[in-house]
């Protein structure tokens, strides 16, 4: 018989090769358990009636879906059981959640990214970034920039696909087998050939972007296919495989002042930094509205927003020139 290498085998090899502890495996096991648990609720959600709204608004001023609440609760439960997580920063909690002061890791996550897809049971994502406490000097519990993460990943729900990037060790994709194990590590490297590249942004917003970004789109859009499913995890998943660029620029020209987003829409710590970390490990790049690398931005607050341009280095470098002009 032939067996596939599992995610846990892969991680164990990685940890041993780099003479690391087994703590990270415990954390990853909890993250996988949480993802599978969320996925089961999601798959049966239409039947059981929990794909609707929860009837409240979150810290970001957005309507909370029942599934957002459930996914948050599930993840916190599994993280707590590891005894290895100090703080959790979740999109669904206004405060930073302290889990175990003696823990080793910081976890930043969006439990269910892409809420407009939830009512339809279409792809959503569980996005996470992981930081590690300072083991030698004094730990100051500062909010970490993406370049300080040790790993970042995402589960696409309901397909179950896992993509994870380990610092300086590449971005890897795993598929779920019939026993629900994650298997067959495949290294992801963004393709050089522009033939497969795609552009992804909310086309409704294009005339709300600053003039230079609108001009860049006009000059470049015909060269690439356009794809947008409205869930960062899903859209970014395509970009990682096909190359191109996902962007969520700042909204600076909206007639309704309430819809202006000069800082961008996406959250730095658990959305933009997570996908940017994965993208850089796959050979890509990511910047904000000023052309500053996303991974260099040290957050001033844990729910800070940012504009995001992420994808193939050549394209991101090209738009960076425009952003910096
Ligand atoms: P959503 O608000 O639907 O949860 O996290 C924010 C996010 O989704 C991303 O997943 C997605 O890329 C983007 O916002 C979609 O925003 P628009 O509806 O404005 O396109």
């Amino acid at each position: 018989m032939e067996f596939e290498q599992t995610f846990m085998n892969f991680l164990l090899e990685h940890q041993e090769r780099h003479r690391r502890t087994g703590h990270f495996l415990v954390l990853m096991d909890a993250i996988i358990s949480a993802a599978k648990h969320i996925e089961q609720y999601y798959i049966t959600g239409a039947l059981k009636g929990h794909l609707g709204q929860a009837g409240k608004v979150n810290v970001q001023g957005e309507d909370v879906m029942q599934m957002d609440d459930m996914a948050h609760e599930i993840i916190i439960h599994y993280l707590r059981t590891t005894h290895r997580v100090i703080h959790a920063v979740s999109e669904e909690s206004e405060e930073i959640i302290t889990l175990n002061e003696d823990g080793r890791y910081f976890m930043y996550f969006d439990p269910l990214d892409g809420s407009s897809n939830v009512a339809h049971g279409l792809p959503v994502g569980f996005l996470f970034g992981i930081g590690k406490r300072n083991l030698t000097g004094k730990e100051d519990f500062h909010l970490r920039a993406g370049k300080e993460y040790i790993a970042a990943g995402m589960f696409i729900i309901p397909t179950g696909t896992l993509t994870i990037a380990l610092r300086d060790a590449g971005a890897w994709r795993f598929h779920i087998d019939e026993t629900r194990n994650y298997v067959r590590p495949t290294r992801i490297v963004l393709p050089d050939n522009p033939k497969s590249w795609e552009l992804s942004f909310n086309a409704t917003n294009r005339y709300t972007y600053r003039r230079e970004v609108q001009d860049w789109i006009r000059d470049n859009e015909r060269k690439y296919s356009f794809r947008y499913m409205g869930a960062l995890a899903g859209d970014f998943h395509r970009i990682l495989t096909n190359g191109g660029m996902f962007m969520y620029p700042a909204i600076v020209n909206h007639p309704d002042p309430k819809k202006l987003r000069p800082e961008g829409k996406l959250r730095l710590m658990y959305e933009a930094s997570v996908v940017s970390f994965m993208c850089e490990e796959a050979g890509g790049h990511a910047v904000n509205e000023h052309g500053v690398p996303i991974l260099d931005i040290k957050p001033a607050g844990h729910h800070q927003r940012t504009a995001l341009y992420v994808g193939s280095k050549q394209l991101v470098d090209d738009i960076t020139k425009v952003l910096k002009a």
Side-chain angles (χ1 to χ4, degrees):
M1 285 176 88
E2 277 185 32
F3 294 97
E4 304 264 10
Q5 186 184 28
T6 68
F7 177 52
M8 283 299 162
N9 301 151
F10 168 86
L11 264 191
L12 185 59
E13 267 178 29
H14 173 82
Q15 296 293 91
E16 286 177 344
R17 194 176 320 122
H18 297 278
R19 297 174 196 281
R20 303 249 172 84
T21 67
H23 296 295
F24 189 65
L25 268 76
V26 177
L27 176 62
M28 282 312 308
D29 181 59
I31 292 174
I32 286 183
S33 299
K36 288 179 179 171
H37 208 139
I38 296 166
E39 190 171 50
Q40 274 313 305
Y41 274 102
Y42 197 66
I43 289 170
T44 56
L47 186 65
K48 296 198 177 143
H50 44 238
L51 297 186
Q53 294 192 351
K56 58 180 183 180
V57 168
N58 70 9
V59 56
Q60 330 283 346
E62 297 152 350
D63 290 326
V64 175
M65 308 295 292
Q66 289 176 56
M67 275 303 307
D68 289 327
D69 269 352
M70 285 165 135
H72 167 82
E73 202 182 315
I74 289 168
I75 296 165
I76 292 294
H77 162 75
Y78 282 100
L79 294 183
R80 197 186 296 281
T81 60
T82 67
H83 304 294
R84 282 162 174 82
V85 178
I86 310 165
H87 292 157
V89 168
S90 165
E91 182 184 22
E92 299 309 325
S93 166
E94 184 160 1
E95 307 297 334
I96 295 179
I97 302 167
T98 300
L99 293 174
N100 179 357
E101 291 284 10
D102 300 324
R104 193 179 173 87
Y105 302 109
F106 302 99
M107 175 90 178
Y108 317 108
F109 60 95
D110 183 348
L112 214 70
D113 165 76
S115 38
S116 69
N117 278 353
V118 171
H120 312 281
L122 287 169
V124 290
F126 162 21
L127 296 166
F128 60 91
I130 300 168
K132 188 158 93 176
R133 80 180 305 153
N134 185 358
L135 297 174
T136 45
K138 194 172 161 291
E139 175 57 58
D140 63 3
F141 300 103
H142 69 282
L143 296 173
R144 281 154 167 75
K147 67 181 171 198
E148 295 181 72
Y149 291 7
I150 59 164
M154 62 182 187
F155 290 87
I156 304 288
I157 296 169
T159 61
T161 313
L162 161 66
T163 309
I164 184 160
L166 302 166
R167 189 157 73 195
D168 301 327
W172 298 83
R173 185 157 291 159
F174 295 82
H175 297 285
I176 209 155
D177 73 3
E178 52 287 339
T179 66
R180 310 213 62 220
N181 260 319
Y182 280 96
V183 296
R184 197 181 296 175
T186 309
R187 189 160 188 167
I188 313 243
V189 178
L190 281 159
D192 286 338
N193 188 345
K195 261 192 162 175
S196 63
W197 289 5
E198 296 174 350
L199 282 184
S200 183
F201 58 94
N202 185 337
T204 317
N205 293 340
R206 68 184 285 172
Y207 300 109
T208 70
Y209 304 152
R210 65 196 244 208
R211 169 60 53 197
E212 297 84 348
V213 173
Q214 292 187 39
D215 291 349
W216 186 92
I217 292 173
R218 185 201 57 220
D219 296 343
N220 288 278
E221 64 187 336
R222 282 183 198 83
K223 299 181 203 159
Y224 312 107
S225 302
F226 176 81
R227 298 282 183 268
Y228 191 71
M229 67 180 88
L232 173 63
D235 287 313
F236 176 68
H237 182 99
R238 290 188 65 103
I239 297 292
L240 260 188
T241 315
N242 292 349
M245 183 165 66
F246 171 91
M247 49 188 180
Y248 208 109
I251 294 185
V252 293
N253 291 315
H254 206 287
D256 177 354
K258 286 200 227 88
K259 300 212 165 139
L260 289 172
R261 290 193 186 275
E263 279 95 43
K265 174 184 180 188
L266 300 177
R267 273 51 62 115
L268 176 64
M269 293 202 79
Y270 42 83
E271 293 182 324
S273 289
V274 168
V275 296
S276 303
F277 186 100
M278 286 188 270
C279 192
E280 300 246 354
E281 284 293 339
H285 190 40
V287 298
N288 72 0
E289 192 71 12
H290 310 289
V292 175
I294 292 286
L295 295 187
D296 287 349
I297 305 171
K298 186 169 170 343
H302 50 284
H303 292 301
Q304 185 170 319
R305 291 179 191 268
T306 181
L308 174 67
Y309 300 80
V310 61
S312 298
K313 190 160 178 349
Q314 201 182 312
L315 268 189
V316 177
D317 284 347
D318 193 47
I319 202 156
T320 299
K321 286 186 216 134
V322 168
L323 295 169
K324 282 186 161 170

